[in-house]
Amino acid sequence: MSTASYTHFRGNLETYFDRTAAKAWEQLTSDAPVSGIRATVRAGRTAMRDTLLSWLPADMTGLRLLDAGCGTGALAVAAAERGAQVVAIDVAGSLVQIARDRAPAHLAIDWRVGDLLDPALGHFDHVVAMDSLIHYRAFDIVAVLQQLAERAHGSIVFTFAPQTPLLMAMLGMGRLFPRSDRSPAILPVRDRLLRTLITNAVPTSRIGRDRRISASFYTSHALELVTA
């Protein structure tokens, strides 16, 4: 069961991407020329996606993966190319449509529009949530992980926005830029607090690898939660 604040922030994301920023994110996640600000975000996201993919098996034949917050689909495609049976879901239908249009026709990815916590999605060997939880408070992130851990039998790899002085300063500076260059509200959380909450809420799992990527206007921290 999702919390009221999770539902609230999820609704904000749906509004942002479907009504305001679909074209901007289509361009950001393509090879098209972008502004200097967006170029740093693109580079950071590429490095983070490569990191999360490196934490998954090289051969995923027969494994089921949930791309929780798939965006325009690059990670889902990469996992499917490794042989994974991929369910890719996002709250923003506009982004899922871009993902469908871009995906190679030979990859049978199950694209969905909806809530990543929908129990009808079933059980998975691995779950990936890249930059889809950075818009939620720490307690909501942990509530999401707690529910996903009940249906993930290998690992959950996800990212959060670390509460650092540099990121807080950049978020403040971001408000000075044109609205078209802004991303949806990011809610930084304290690393130590998040780890403590996860340990208490998901005692049957353990925290594995982690990596923080800072690329100018992109800062995100990846954590691996081993659920096997």
Side-chain angles (χ1 to χ4, degrees), residues 5 24 33 80 98-99 110-111 151 191 197 207 222:
S5 56
I98 294 169
D110 183 2
W111 301 105
R151 296 186 282 123
D191 186 355
L197 292 173
I207 295 175

Side-chain angles (χ1 to χ4, degrees), residues 48-122:
M48 180 57 77
R49 183 173 62 250
D50 290 345
T51 294
L52 299 185
L53 285 168
S54 75
W55 293 355
L56 297 173
D59 182 0
M60 300 190 70
T61 303
L63 299 180
R64 200 161 187 258
L65 178 135
L66 174 64
D67 187 352
C70 64
T72 54
L75 191 145
V77 167
E81 288 175 337
R82 295 184 183 185
Q85 301 169 17
V86 179
V87 176
I89 190 166
D90 201 283
V91 69
S94 58
L95 299 187
V96 174
Q97 187 58 55
I98 294 169
R100 284 195 182 103
D101 293 341
R102 287 181 176 176
H106 69 279
L107 296 178
I109 298 172
D110 183 2
W111 301 105
R112 306 276 189 101
V113 178
D115 187 352
L116 59 86
L117 291 179
D118 184 355
L121 297 174

Side-chain angles (χ1 to χ4, degrees), residues 11-228:
N12 288 345
L13 290 175
E14 181 179 6
T15 299
Y16 173 82
F17 285 112
D18 278 343
R19 300 183 185 178
T20 305
K23 288 295 183 183
W25 277 81
E26 181 177 15
Q27 184 182 44
L28 176 69
T29 57
S30 69
D31 295 326
V34 292
S35 69
I37 295 171
R38 291 182 182 176
T40 65
V41 174
R42 177 187 282 172
R45 284 178 55 82
T46 297
M48 180 57 77
R49 183 173 62 250
D50 290 345
T51 294
L52 299 185
L53 285 168
S54 75
W55 293 355
L56 297 173
D59 182 0
M60 300 190 70
T61 303
L63 299 180
R64 200 161 187 258
L65 178 135
L66 174 64
D67 187 352
C70 64
T72 54
L75 191 145
V77 167
E81 288 175 337
R82 295 184 183 185
Q85 301 169 17
V86 179
V87 176
I89 190 166
D90 201 283
V91 69
S94 58
L95 299 187
V96 174
Q97 187 58 55
I98 294 169
R100 284 195 182 103
D101 293 341
R102 287 181 176 176
H106 69 279
L107 296 178
I109 298 172
D110 183 2
W111 301 105
R112 306 276 189 101
V113 178
D115 187 352
L116 59 86
L117 291 179
D118 184 355
L121 297 174
H123 291 251
F124 298 90
D125 296 287
H126 300 281
V127 175
V128 179
M130 176 181 154
D131 292 350
S132 52
L133 301 181
I134 63 175
H135 310 288
Y136 297 95
R137 296 169 178 164
F139 289 92
D140 288 324
I141 293 173
V142 173
V144 168
L145 295 175
Q146 189 175 36
Q147 293 182 59
L148 289 176
E150 296 175 356
R151 296 186 282 123
H153 308 302
S155 71
I156 301 171
V157 294
F158 69 99
T159 63
F160 67 94
Q163 191 179 83
T164 64
L166 178 59
L167 179 58
M168 299 303 290
M170 287 193 297
L171 291 176
M173 292 174 58
R175 297 187 183 96
L176 303 177
F177 291 105
R179 185 172 296 275
S180 61
D181 276 331
R182 299 182 197 174
S183 59
I186 293 172
L187 300 179
V189 301
R190 287 182 289 144
D191 186 355
R192 183 177 298 179
L193 170 64
L194 185 61
R195 290 171 183 265
T196 299
L197 292 173
I198 291 172
T199 299
N200 291 334
V202 197
T204 57
S205 302
R206 64 175 176 83
I207 295 175
R209 290 167 284 191
D210 77 297
R211 184 188 179 194
R212 182 172 297 179
I213 292 177
S214 297
S216 187
F217 282 89
Y218 178 89
T219 299
S220 190
H221 195 125
L223 275 182
E224 177 188 43
L225 188 61
V226 181
T227 58

